[in-house]
Amino acid sequence: MGIYLYLNQRAFLYYPTPRFTTPFEEMKLQNDGECINVIVLNKGEENAILYFGGNAESIAKSSKHIASQFPRLTIYLMDYRGYGSSTGIPTEEGFYSDALRLYDTVKSKHSNISIGGRSLGSGIATYVAACREVSKLVLITPYDSVLNVAQGRFPIYPISLLLKEKYDSLDRVKDIKAKTLVVIAELDRVIPRERTQKLIEAFDWAQLDVIEIPDRGHIDISSDEKYDQIMREFIGDG
C-alpha cells in the first residue's frame, strides 16, 4: 500500500479540469516552455486580484460569478499546468513559477494586487504573498501543509519520506506581510480543522481575520450567501 501511495501520489493531489469556454478575454503566459492560460475578468481596473483555485475547481465555470463579486477589480484566474487550456504536467514548483510569472507580468498595470487561494490554491497563494508585495491575502479552507494533511490521513506510513510535493504554507507565514483573511467551513471533511488551526496560529494576530461559515463543507462553502459578503467586505476596492 505504501508503494502504491508513493507511485500514485499525483493522482491523489491533482484533478485536472477540462477546457471550458467563457465570454472573457484570455491571456497566454509563456513560462518554462509551457503555455499558461489566464482568464481576465473586468479588465482595466486600477487594482487586481490573482485567484488560485482548488485541485478540482474549474475556474472557468466560476468566472461569471467571480466577475460579479468584484466589479471594480480586475481578476486573473490562472489555469494550472495541465488544467483547462494550459499545457504541461501539474507540479508544485511549476505552479509556483507560473504564479510568480503571472504576478510579475501584471504588476505594472495595477496599483495594488491582492491574492486569493482556495484549498490546494491556498498553498500557491501563500507562496506568492511571501515572495511579492501583496495588498491583501485571502485563504479559503487552507492547510498548514499538504504533508501534514497526508500524514493525518495515512498515519502508519512515513509520509515525509514518500511525498514529493509538500505545499508548506506554515513555513512561509513568517514572510507574509499582507493583511490576511482565513475562511473556514464548519463542516469541512477534506482539510481537518487542526491543519487550518496550525496555520492560523502561525500568523501575527494583528494582521489576521478568521471567519467560519456555519453548516457548510469544503465544497459548498462558496455557495453560501455569507461567503460573497465576507469576500467583498475584506477585499473592498483592493
Side-chain angles (χ1 to χ4, degrees):
M1 182 61 182
I3 294 173
Y4 175 82
L5 289 173
Y6 176 77
L7 294 176
N8 293 278
Q9 58 184 273
R10 291 186 187 279
F12 286 94
L13 189 57
Y14 302 118
Y15 300 87
T17 54
R19 175 176 171 78
F20 184 83
T21 302
T22 78
F24 300 104
E25 180 177 326
E26 295 181 351
M27 178 175 69
K28 303 295 183 181
L29 293 178
Q30 302 298 323
N31 190 42
D32 299 336
E34 303 298 345
C35 181
I36 306 304
N37 185 64
V38 180
I39 302 170
V40 183
L41 314 178
N42 308 330
K43 184 178 178 181
E45 298 296 330
E46 179 180 0
N47 297 325
I49 302 173
L50 311 187
Y51 174 73
F52 303 103
N55 63 355
E57 181 179 358
S58 174
I59 56 171
K61 289 185 177 180
S62 304
S63 57
K64 287 185 179 180
H65 175 70
I66 296 174
S68 67
Q69 273 186 298
F70 306 103
R72 294 190 298 274
L73 295 168
T74 297
I75 306 160
Y76 297 92
L77 309 177
M78 188 180 80
D79 276 333
Y80 299 138
R81 295 184 182 205
Y83 285 63
S85 299
S86 294
T87 65
I89 297 172
T91 68
E92 179 181 8
E93 290 304 317
F95 287 2
Y96 292 161
S97 177
D98 297 337
L100 291 184
R101 180 61 182 274
L102 173 59
Y103 179 100
D104 293 342
T105 299
V106 305
K107 180 62 178 78
S108 63
K109 301 177 183 179
H110 305 285
S111 298
N112 293 308
I113 293 182
S114 296
I115 305 289
R118 178 172 176 172
S119 192
L120 178 68
S122 68
I124 302 165
T126 59
Y127 181 84
V128 176
C131 295
R132 297 291 188 269
E133 181 181 355
V134 170
S135 176
K136 295 175 183 177
L137 174 65
V138 180
L139 304 175
I140 305 149
T141 59
Y143 47 80
D144 54 352
S145 74
V146 164
L147 169 63
N148 289 339
V149 173
Q151 187 64 73
R153 190 164 297 176
F154 305 104
I156 67 172
Y157 297 107
I159 297 297
S160 62
L161 301 178
L162 298 176
L163 195 65
K164 297 177 180 178
E165 306 196 340
K166 301 175 181 179
Y167 289 93
D168 190 353
S169 289
L170 188 64
D171 186 58
R172 291 192 285 269
V173 168
K174 64 183 183 300
D175 298 316
I176 296 174
K177 307 304 180 186
K179 180 68 175 178
T180 302
L181 169 67
V182 173
V183 184
I184 303 169
E186 180 189 20
L187 306 180
D188 197 328
R189 300 290 182 262
V190 177
I191 305 298
R193 176 60 65 87
E194 179 185 5
R195 302 277 54 91
T196 302
Q197 189 60 37
K198 289 293 184 182
L199 181 67
I200 289 170
E201 292 171 359
F203 277 93
D204 181 342
W205 281 101
Q207 77 179 107
L208 185 68
D209 290 336
V210 179
I211 297 178
E212 179 181 293
I213 297 182
D215 302 320
R216 293 292 181 179
H218 191 81
I219 303 300
D220 67 351
I221 183 174
S222 57
S223 65
D224 194 297
E225 61 182 20
K226 299 185 189 71
Y227 179 87
D228 283 357
Q229 180 181 353
I230 290 166
M231 294 300 165
R232 283 193 293 265
E233 288 180 354
F234 180 78
I235 295 294
D237 291 331

